[in-house]
Amino acid sequence: MVDFFKLSAVSKKRHLELVEEKSDIYDSPEVYGLNYQEKILGGNGSSASPYKIEVSIQNTSGIDFEGIMRLELEAASEADSKADFYLPGFMYGSNRGDKPWKVDCKFPRLNSAFTNPSDSDCPLSSFYMVRGDRLSHPCALMYINGNSPKIRGFHTSPYYCEKDFVQYGGFTCNSKRQTVGYTFGYENAPWLFIQSHTILPRQTSENYFTLQTNQKITQIFYVYDFDAASVTDIHKVIKNVYEAYHEAPRHITKLHANRHLWKKQ
């Protein structure tokens, strides 16, 4: 069976060049000696039972890898297919990227024509990449409106852990390539939107992932791939993601409940 995801990667050194080029074109994993594998553990891809996929990446080179690794899920092979993207809390469709954009209050807008967006193009870009905790739900989804409308996408942990926290991951969408993706390490690209009047440059520090020589990492992904009656079928996925990660309210002691009071006294 063909893999769901396609792996690409970029070293820290090469990434600094991509920032100058305003590009999100990563290298083939073979460049860095990275080996990728998938294993289906269950599920059928439906809204109620997504495929449970174990993803593994191993550094088979003789040197440590420091950079960012990206997994991308394509929309479809049909020529007439068009994807709308959903990164909850950040991107809905194109965020009206085809409307007037030279405004004071800026927010991320997808537009396929801007493949190497300059600062003067802000906020238009064909791609967006964000740290996982900037989304309301850790998932990236597409509504594919072609001959056979479908929902494709996935959810997974917004950060990589072993015994303890290691590094944040990231979620991506690209309207030119018609993909959604996940990164080990992360980017806030092509810009970091703090809020509509505070927009910072693409990040080049503290966002890289280190994979030592011969080290292997694994992570579970839940992949959706099902026929959709309409775009509102995405709500079924969002509900599943919420239930997978939501922590129920907890009972706390009276001492903890009143702690903020006695601290002020």
Side-chain angles (χ1 to χ4, degrees), residues 28-96:
S28 168
E30 289 78 15
V31 172
Y32 306 107
L34 301 177
N35 180 56
Y36 176 70
Q37 291 185 327
E38 290 180 3
K39 181 189 297 184
I40 299 179
L41 303 179
N44 57 21
S46 66
S47 60
S49 180
Y51 293 110
K52 184 179 181 180
I53 309 292
E54 182 185 72
V55 161
S56 66
I57 304 173
Q58 184 172 18
N59 180 2
T60 61
S61 73
I63 58 174
D64 293 350
F65 171 83
E66 183 182 13
I68 303 167
M69 298 171 287
R70 180 176 62 203
L71 300 177
E72 284 190 292
L73 181 68
E74 295 182 342
S77 58
E78 296 181 21
D80 69 333
S81 65
K82 181 182 182 301
D84 284 330
F85 302 90
Y86 296 85
L87 275 61
F90 184 82
M91 183 66 63
Y92 295 86
S94 65
N95 278 3
R96 297 177 64 84

Side-chain angles (χ1 to χ4, degrees), residues 5-205:
F5 293 101
K6 180 180 179 180
L7 176 66
S8 58
V10 62
S11 67
K12 179 178 180 180
K13 179 180 178 181
R14 175 59 183 147
H15 180 251
L16 296 177
E17 296 173 353
L18 290 189
V19 172
E20 292 298 318
E21 296 168 7
K22 315 295 184 183
S23 172
D24 75 329
I25 305 299
Y26 284 14
D27 299 320
S28 168
E30 289 78 15
V31 172
Y32 306 107
L34 301 177
N35 180 56
Y36 176 70
Q37 291 185 327
E38 290 180 3
K39 181 189 297 184
I40 299 179
L41 303 179
N44 57 21
S46 66
S47 60
S49 180
Y51 293 110
K52 184 179 181 180
I53 309 292
E54 182 185 72
V55 161
S56 66
I57 304 173
Q58 184 172 18
N59 180 2
T60 61
S61 73
I63 58 174
D64 293 350
F65 171 83
E66 183 182 13
I68 303 167
M69 298 171 287
R70 180 176 62 203
L71 300 177
E72 284 190 292
L73 181 68
E74 295 182 342
S77 58
E78 296 181 21
D80 69 333
S81 65
K82 181 182 182 301
D84 284 330
F85 302 90
Y86 296 85
L87 275 61
F90 184 82
M91 183 66 63
Y92 295 86
S94 65
N95 278 3
R96 297 177 64 84
D98 57 339
K99 300 300 180 181
W101 55 275
K102 290 188 177 181
V103 294
D104 181 57
C105 184
K106 295 180 179 179
F107 56 91
R109 304 190 188 195
L110 272 178
N111 189 304
S112 297
F114 294 81
T115 54
N116 300 89
S118 65
D119 289 344
S120 62
D121 297 324
C122 184
L124 300 183
S125 175
S126 64
F127 66 91
Y128 273 99
M129 310 174 76
V130 296
R131 196 171 80 177
D133 63 341
R134 295 186 66 80
L135 304 187
S136 63
H137 297 62
C139 62
L141 307 168
M142 295 178 282
Y143 172 68
I144 304 163
N145 190 5
N147 292 328
S148 302
K150 299 177 73 69
I151 302 292
R152 294 201 84 194
F154 65 90
H155 71 82
T156 189
S157 171
Y159 39 78
Y160 178 73
C161 290
E162 291 178 348
K163 291 184 178 179
D164 298 302
F165 171 87
V166 175
Q167 178 58 290
Y168 283 104
F171 292 84
T172 78
C173 62
N174 187 298
S175 60
K176 189 71 173 181
R177 291 196 296 271
Q178 299 277 281
T179 64
V180 290
Y182 181 83
T183 58
F184 292 92
Y186 66 92
E187 290 213 56
N188 288 300
W191 306 280
L192 168 57
F193 283 80
I194 302 298
Q195 45 95 349
S196 60
H197 292 87
T198 305
I199 303 171
L200 303 180
R202 190 170 176 175
Q203 193 165 349
T204 57
S205 65

